[in-house]
Amino acid sequence: MEKLQNGYLFPEIGMRQLMHVEKYPGAKIISLGIGDTTEPIPNIIASAMSQYSHALSTREGYQGYGAEQGNQELRKAIAETMYRDMGINDTEVFISDGAQCDISRIQLLLGSNLTVAVQDPTFPAYVDSSIIIGQTGEYARNTGKYGGIEYMRCGPENSFFPDLSSVPRTDVIFFCSPNNPTGHAASREQLGELVATATRNGSVIVFDAAYSAYVSDGSPKSIYEIPGAKEVVAIEISSFSKLAGFTGIRLGWTVVPHELSYSNGFPVHKDFDRIICTCFNGASRIAQIGGLACLSQQGQKATQQVIGVYKENARTLARTFTSMGLEVYGGTNSPYVWVHFPGRRSWDVFSEILEKTHIITVPGCGFGPSGEGFIRVNGFNSKECIQEACHRLRNLLG
Amino acid sequence: MEKLQNGYLFPEIGMRQLMHVEKYPGAKIISLGIGDTTEPIPNIIASAMSQYSHALSTREGYQGYGAEQGNQELRKAIAETMYRDMGINDTEVFISDGAQCDISRIQLLLGSNLTVAVQDPTFPAYVDSSIIIGQTGEYARNTGKYGGIEYMRCGPENSFFPDLSSVPRTDVIFFCSPNNPTGHAASREQLGELVATATRNGSVIVFDAAYSAYVSDGSPKSIYEIPGAKEVVAIEISSFSKLAGFTGIRLGWTVVPHELSYSNGFPVHKDFDRIICTCFNGASRIAQIGGLACLSQQGQKATQQVIGVYKENARTLARTFTSMGLEVYGGTNSPYVWVHFPGRRSWDVFSEILEKTHIITVPGCGFGPSGEGFIRVNGFNSKECIQEACHRLRNLLG
């Protein structure tokens, strides 16, 4: 634990926001910081949870413990909706209380004696949970990196996909696509290369697909679209948070294929099942009922509409920064927009924007050393707020 | 992971239940096995969750991510209701998705390089999570024990409280009171001895108070009732599961006092906060609204009524086994009744009762080697089911 540097990124931003509010009590702050959903949950989904909650007060409707692995019907609906034609079975889907929580449970599964590779930049929870479980060496202040972790640089110069031939073999590769924070969705070809490399090296890919619902250009939404991924190398994590506004409701899932085994032939699925039964006790039944409603035909249509709002917002933000002459990435297959401020430090840009426009962003360096010089903004907001934000940004930088 | 013997106790019982149902398709099974609540949730609590869920579909009612540590109001309500006059501050209360999940997060906090003591018998999750995190040595088939863990024998011969003078010092002591499975609530004097020993040895007590709402004889409901516990040695875990029928809703809490520090003086609270922010993302907001309703005056009254039903059931079960000439423990400060079958093996008794009465119990050996020869039953059922169960048991063994 002592190795962890500073606070976790988002609480740190929260603290700076609080300080800003104290300094400017009247300011109307707009948060483009933490990727937090803002739009109401479609009625069909909220109603399902509301009715279920109410029924818990009746003898017919009350239910105690659910299966640790999740509601059978929901597991089946996820397998059929999200993994149609990919050969994923309902028993391979484990329902969770969110992707971040499952990342830690996967770390428990993997243990401390292994090597890890992550995209650089990427969602900080992979590295932070690696540190907590004890996989890493010391922090090197000059590079901003931890020992024992391979940082796979993903920047504009390599189309945000690492040169895998130059990355040393690791036991595990965390890979997030569409990536948080860059917004880049890896292409079919790129993911094919990733799967081939992992297969050759005997590495496990932990694929984070939390933003797959935002893919719109035909890029794969699941690692299992790549032939060989299911049979050999990949665990996939996903979530209802950004798919259906469930950030506060807490619901996600992880796919662990039956075929995946340790080098001694023991099935990983069996160990993950044991961890779920020992270290977790299932997601809230109310949230799971909501998840089922999301996957109904009407539910899917309704959530797609909300996602459409966020994506339109992201495009608006991207256009605004582009019009200011900045290099802008993401925003097409992702709610995230990744903006380059060459030669400047991320926290300085963060502070300047906050000071002059009362807008919260995320300093890119919080996602890894290669994020220095970038900031992340996101489309999770009402259309009106985004327009107001763009107006303020143009006044500042235009 | 490979060290884990057999399946986790409760899934194993579930499997045997399935096999029994296949063998006797018509049988009306009564489960006195897993401690799973059966009575509807009081209307005031279910309605609060129902209304909140519905409001999520409105712009005014929608909320995204909550604080990782939990709803501020709920933390305050727990501090004030559960720890009145014990000096516990709301910032010391972390809301969780259940006690079992927090046990694992506490293990993450503690890490793999330490020694652990547990009551024998006790809830299996302490030992199982110790194994997963890597604190233990090998399993010794002849003793039924894992290396690196001190098993503190708790039986009728020592009034279910260990002889602490004969227990070697460990870094951590897991202590569950009222105990699952024995039902024994440690007295003020016994807990005073525990706190004094831990203070002397520099051990941390992880106190599991999940059944504190069932205490009715004046025994402490919290370790913080013992002078010195807060200042020096104790983390406390608790849960709404058995307090308010939230087994499927998933809500609990853990208290980490600000004063608690590692031997180098670093505050444990700060590390636990970091784990909650990295490995967890808060309990479902809907569940937290339910928790708040539980702690309202009306909510407390209503949940006490439900607990009254379960306690009356436990007393009925205890009387039934006593009338058959068996030694019976628990059932007064606990929903659990612990029945001794001297000279017999727990799984044999489990199988005989299941075969002849279609009643599911829990074999005591699943809780530790000293549980051999016992079975656990519980009062979590409707009054009618318990009466039917007692009727069948008297016919079998009377």
Side-chain angles (χ1 to χ4, degrees):
Chain A
M1 289 293 298
E2 284 174 25
K3 289 184 196 154
L4 277 166
Q5 293 299 310
N6 310 316
Y8 183 64
L9 177 61
F10 296 107
E12 172 73 25
I13 293 171
M15 238 169 54
R16 293 193 184 217
Q17 176 167 349
L18 278 179
M19 281 161 57
H20 186 76
V21 171
E22 273 177 28
K23 191 170 165 194
Y24 299 101
K28 187 176 170 277
I29 292 198
I30 296 178
S31 176
L32 307 177
I34 183 169
D36 192 5
T37 49
T38 56
E39 297 308 284
I41 290 176
N43 191 270
I44 181 173
I45 299 164
S47 291
M49 293 192 290
S50 177
Q51 278 164 31
Y52 181 83
S53 298
H54 185 75
L56 289 171
S57 65
T58 65
R59 194 157 287 284
E60 303 68 40
Y62 182 75
Q63 295 185 295
Y65 284 120
E68 290 91 342
Q69 300 87 351
N71 176 323
Q72 183 57 32
E73 241 185 303
L74 178 58
R75 298 172 81 184
K76 194 156 173 280
I78 289 173
E80 287 174 359
T81 314
M82 302 293 177
Y83 302 104
R84 188 188 301 272
D85 303 327
M86 297 180 213
I88 300 293
N89 197 290
D90 53 356
T91 57
E92 297 173 314
V93 177
F94 293 84
I95 308 302
S96 75
D97 58 335
Q100 184 163 335
C101 314
D102 258 359
I103 290 168
S104 288
R105 283 186 286 261
I106 288 170
Q107 295 281 24
L108 265 180
L109 173 81
L110 300 169
S112 56
N113 293 318
L114 43 71
T115 50
V116 165
V118 296
Q119 289 153 292
D120 174 23
T122 199
F123 183 47
Y126 314 128
V127 170
D128 285 357
S129 59
S130 286
I131 299 165
I132 289 176
I133 201 84
Q135 291 159 353
T136 65
E138 292 300 322
Y139 180 73
R141 199 163 288 278
N142 58 331
T143 59
K145 297 181 181 180
Y146 285 90
I149 292 195
E150 290 300 329
Y151 291 76
M152 305 186 295
R153 187 174 162 80
C154 298
E157 76 286 356
N158 60 9
S159 304
F160 294 99
F161 190 80
D163 174 11
L164 292 173
S165 69
S166 74
V167 177
R169 181 213 172 266
T170 56
D171 299 310
V172 182
I173 303 168
F174 283 98
F175 201 92
C176 177
S177 179
N179 180 266
N180 174 7
T182 69
H184 178 73
S187 69
R188 201 166 300 272
E189 203 185 342
Q190 290 175 332
L191 290 181
E193 205 184 304
L194 179 68
V195 168
T197 304
T199 306
R200 201 166 49 240
N201 289 344
S203 308
V204 170
I205 300 167
V206 179
F207 190 79
D208 187 341
Y211 298 93
S212 65
Y214 292 78
V215 170
S216 48
D217 71 353
S219 299
K221 295 185 171 195
S222 164
I223 190 72
Y224 304 121
E225 292 188 40
I226 309 303
K230 177 176 191 288
E231 292 72 13
V232 194
V233 291
I235 291 172
E236 182 162 303
I237 306 171
S238 202
S239 168
F240 285 87
S241 288
K242 310 300 161 69
L243 168 66
F246 271 36
T247 42
I249 296 171
R250 312 304 312 135
L251 192 68
W253 72 89
T254 288
V255 178
V256 182
H258 287 301
E259 292 93 335
L260 195 65
S261 61
Y262 297 108
S263 51
N264 66 2
F266 190 84
V268 175
H269 184 280
K270 202 170 162 183
D271 270 4
F272 192 66
D273 189 81
R274 190 64 155 78
I275 285 194
I276 290 295
C277 290
T278 307
C279 306
F280 184 52
N281 226 326
S284 178
R285 278 183 178 275
I286 304 170
Q288 294 191 68
I289 291 297
L292 255 179
C294 291
L295 299 179
S296 68
Q297 230 171 351
Q298 268 186 284
Q300 286 186 61
K301 216 172 132 185
T303 54
Q304 273 306 321
Q305 277 174 359
V306 179
I307 289 171
V309 173
Y310 296 142
K311 283 176 71 171
E312 180 56 38
N313 287 343
R315 280 190 295 269
T316 305
L317 284 166
R319 270 197 308 272
T320 300
F321 284 108
T322 303
S323 74
M324 297 172 190
L326 292 160
E327 289 295 337
V328 175
Y329 307 94
T332 305
N333 292 313
S334 165
Y336 295 122
V337 177
W338 186 237
V339 190
H340 200 185
F341 292 80
R344 299 198 59 193
R345 300 193 71 80
S346 301
W347 276 114
D348 292 343
V349 178
F350 169 90
S351 298
E352 186 190 346
I353 293 179
L354 178 58
E355 185 68 26
K356 296 192 178 162
T357 68
H358 308 308
I359 293 173
I360 305 282
T361 60
V362 186
C365 59
F367 299 99
S370 297
E372 189 58 273
F374 288 83
I375 60 148
R376 189 196 80 177
V377 292
N378 70 67
F380 293 119
N381 227 316
S382 66
K383 194 177 167 183
E384 295 69 34
C385 268
I386 294 291
Q387 283 171 338
E388 166 67 18
C390 289
H391 177 73
R392 294 189 199 170
L393 285 166
R394 272 191 303 264
N395 282 353
L396 165 69
L397 304 166
Chain B
M1 290 291 301
E2 285 175 22
K3 288 182 195 157
L4 276 166
Q5 295 298 309
N6 310 314
Y8 185 64
L9 177 62
F10 295 108
E12 172 74 25
I13 292 171
M15 239 170 53
R16 295 196 182 214
Q17 175 168 351
L18 279 178
M19 284 162 55
H20 186 76
V21 171
E22 274 177 27
K23 191 170 166 192
Y24 300 101
K28 186 175 171 281
I29 291 197
I30 296 178
S31 176
L32 307 177
I34 184 170
D36 192 5
T37 48
T38 56
E39 299 307 286
I41 288 176
N43 191 269
I44 181 172
I45 300 163
S47 291
M49 294 192 289
S50 178
Q51 280 165 29
Y52 181 82
S53 299
H54 185 75
L56 288 172
S57 66
T58 66
R59 193 156 289 280
E60 301 69 40
Y62 182 74
Q63 296 185 295
Y65 284 120
E68 291 90 343
Q69 301 86 350
N71 175 323
Q72 183 57 33
E73 241 186 303
L74 178 57
R75 297 172 83 184
K76 194 156 173 277
I78 289 173
E80 288 174 359
T81 314
M82 301 294 178
Y83 302 105
R84 187 187 301 271
D85 303 328
M86 296 180 214
I88 300 293
N89 197 290
D90 53 357
T91 57
E92 298 173 312
V93 177
F94 294 84
I95 307 302
S96 76
D97 60 334
Q100 185 163 333
C101 314
D102 258 358
I103 291 168
S104 288
R105 284 186 285 261
I106 287 171
Q107 296 281 24
L108 265 179
L109 173 81
L110 299 170
S112 57
N113 292 319
L114 45 71
T115 51
V116 165
V118 296
Q119 288 154 293
D120 175 22
T122 199
F123 184 46
Y126 314 126
V127 170
D128 285 358
S129 60
S130 286
I131 299 165
I132 289 175
I133 201 84
Q135 291 159 353
T136 65
E138 293 298 324
Y139 180 74
R141 198 164 289 279
N142 58 330
T143 59
K145 297 180 180 180
Y146 285 89
I149 292 196
E150 291 300 328
Y151 291 77
M152 305 186 293
R153 187 174 163 77
C154 299
E157 75 285 358
N158 60 11
S159 306
F160 293 98
F161 190 79
D163 174 10
L164 292 173
S165 68
S166 74
V167 178
R169 182 214 172 265
T170 57
D171 299 311
V172 182
I173 303 168
F174 284 100
F175 201 92
C176 177
S177 180
N179 180 266
N180 173 7
T182 69
H184 178 74
S187 68
R188 200 164 299 271
E189 202 184 345
Q190 289 174 333
L191 290 182
E193 206 183 306
L194 179 69
V195 167
T197 303
T199 306
R200 201 166 47 240
N201 289 345
S203 309
V204 170
I205 300 167
V206 179
F207 190 79
D208 186 341
Y211 297 95
S212 65
Y214 293 78
V215 170
S216 47
D217 72 352
S219 300
K221 295 184 171 197
S222 164
I223 191 72
Y224 303 121
E225 292 187 39
I226 309 303
K230 176 176 191 291
E231 291 73 15
V232 194
V233 290
I235 291 172
E236 182 162 303
I237 305 170
S238 201
S239 169
F240 285 87
S241 289
K242 310 300 162 69
L243 167 67
F246 271 35
T247 43
I249 296 170
R250 314 302 312 136
L251 192 68
W253 71 89
T254 288
V255 178
V256 182
H258 287 301
E259 292 92 334
L260 195 64
S261 62
Y262 296 108
S263 50
N264 65 2
F266 191 83
V268 175
H269 184 280
K270 201 169 164 186
D271 270 4
F272 192 66
D273 189 79
R274 191 64 156 81
I275 286 194
I276 289 296
C277 289
T278 307
C279 306
F280 184 53
N281 226 326
S284 178
R285 278 185 179 273
I286 305 170
Q288 294 191 68
I289 291 295
L292 254 180
C294 290
L295 299 180
S296 69
Q297 227 170 356
Q298 267 187 286
Q300 286 187 60
K301 215 172 134 186
T303 55
Q304 274 304 323
Q305 276 174 1
V306 179
I307 288 172
V309 172
Y310 295 143
K311 284 176 71 171
E312 179 57 38
N313 287 343
R315 281 191 293 270
T316 305
L317 284 166
R319 271 197 306 271
T320 300
F321 284 109
T322 302
S323 74
M324 295 171 188
L326 293 161
E327 288 296 336
V328 176
Y329 307 94
T332 305
N333 293 313
S334 165
Y336 295 123
V337 177
W338 187 238
V339 190
H340 200 187
F341 292 80
R344 299 198 60 192
R345 299 191 73 79
S346 301
W347 276 113
D348 293 343
V349 177
F350 168 91
S351 298
E352 186 190 345
I353 292 178
L354 179 57
E355 186 68 27
K356 296 193 178 162
T357 68
H358 308 308
I359 293 173
I360 305 282
T361 59
V362 185
C365 59
F367 299 98
S370 298
E372 188 59 273
F374 287 82
I375 61 149
R376 189 196 81 178
V377 291
N378 71 69
F380 293 118
N381 228 315
S382 67
K383 191 176 170 185
E384 295 69 34
C385 267
I386 294 291
Q387 284 172 339
E388 166 67 17
C390 290
H391 178 72
R392 291 188 200 170
L393 286 165
R394 272 192 301 264
N395 282 351
L396 165 69
L397 305 165

